Amino acid sequence: ILRSVLSVENSIYSGCYMDFGYWEYDKNKVLTYISLSRELGVPLLEDEQFWNIIAYENWVLFQSLNRIYFYNIVEKSVHFIESKNTIHKIFDVQGELYYQVLGEGLFAIKDGEGVLKSGASIFRDDVITSLYEKDNVMYSVMREGGIFRLRNNIPLLLDIEANKVLREVSVY
């Protein structure tokens, strides 16, 4: 089952159940699949599925629920960040990469490693559905908690009318 797809230049990257890789046209103009996980001998987790793909500089990141795999398209190498808890989604915010680990908080990716940016309870206990920057201010939209503004990595609930509604529904 295909779970994620991302087109980058002449390649189409995909993630599915127990595999990730890319599609390219061969000399006969037939789209062929190259399994990166098999080609590079990546030891996958049991029943691992790849839910999100992001291109970043010379990297393509494949995200499962417990790992983020970094594939270097120049060196043809791979390494990963692993978490015991669920990784919900990778976010590219103005060229900076972030991800959330349930029960732990909001992380930034620095030099291929995860760095905890905020262990605030809202980031440990609720799911970030969107993370974005506007006018040099970072905001997070939570599944059940509303919209927060981050100041020095501390989430502050916005005092806006929409939050009254958003806190009564589940945003996905």
Side-chain angles (χ1 to χ4, degrees):
I1 298 172
L2 206 57
R3 298 288 188 197
S4 54
V5 177
L6 177 69
S7 175
V8 179
E9 296 178 9
N10 294 324
S11 298
I12 301 168
Y13 293 91
S14 63
C16 58
Y17 175 79
M18 295 299 291
D19 196 15
F20 64 88
Y22 63 96
W23 302 79
E24 285 188 332
Y25 287 102
D26 66 14
K27 61 184 176 191
N28 298 319
K29 300 198 180 205
V30 174
L31 204 54
T32 57
Y33 179 71
I34 294 91
S35 170
L36 289 171
S37 55
R38 282 187 228 129
E39 187 175 282
L40 299 172
V42 177
L44 300 177
L45 299 172
E46 184 177 343
D47 293 328
E48 194 164 20
Q49 299 186 58
F50 297 89
W51 296 95
N52 194 11
I53 304 170
I54 287 185
Y56 181 77
E57 296 175 353
N58 290 330
W59 300 90
V60 176
L61 285 69
F62 297 88
Q63 180 231 318
S64 70
L65 294 179
N66 294 99
R67 288 182 176 170
I68 300 171
Y69 294 83
F70 298 78
Y71 172 63
N72 186 307
I73 59 176
V74 175
E75 298 174 0
K76 310 286 189 212
S77 62
V78 68
H79 75 276
F80 59 86
I81 293 173
E82 186 166 14
S83 175
K84 294 175 189 166
N85 296 322
T86 302
I87 298 171
H88 282 282
K89 188 175 179 185
I90 305 170
F91 301 95
D92 184 343
V93 181
Q94 303 290 341
E96 299 288 327
L97 299 178
Y98 297 88
Y99 65 98
Q100 179 194 23
V101 177
L102 195 60
E104 295 179 38
L106 177 65
F107 289 78
I109 296 175
K110 299 289 182 198
D111 301 320
E113 299 295 327
V115 177
L116 183 64
K117 295 300 280 186
S118 177
S121 62
I122 191 72
F123 293 146
R124 290 191 319 266
D125 303 333
D126 197 357
V127 174
I128 300 172
T129 59
S130 181
L131 192 66
Y132 64 96
E133 186 176 311
K134 183 178 179 192
D135 299 328
N136 294 318
V137 177
M138 190 175 305
Y139 296 90
S140 65
V141 178
M142 307 306 293
R143 181 178 286 169
E144 297 174 356
I147 302 173
F148 289 77
R149 175 181 159 184
L150 278 75
R151 182 181 292 155
N152 298 322
N153 298 318
I154 298 170
L156 305 167
L157 183 65
L158 293 181
D159 185 18
I160 57 174
E161 194 68 28
N163 268 341
K164 293 176 184 164
V165 174
L166 292 174
R167 295 183 88 189
E168 294 176 7
V169 298
S170 182
V171 178
Y172 188 70

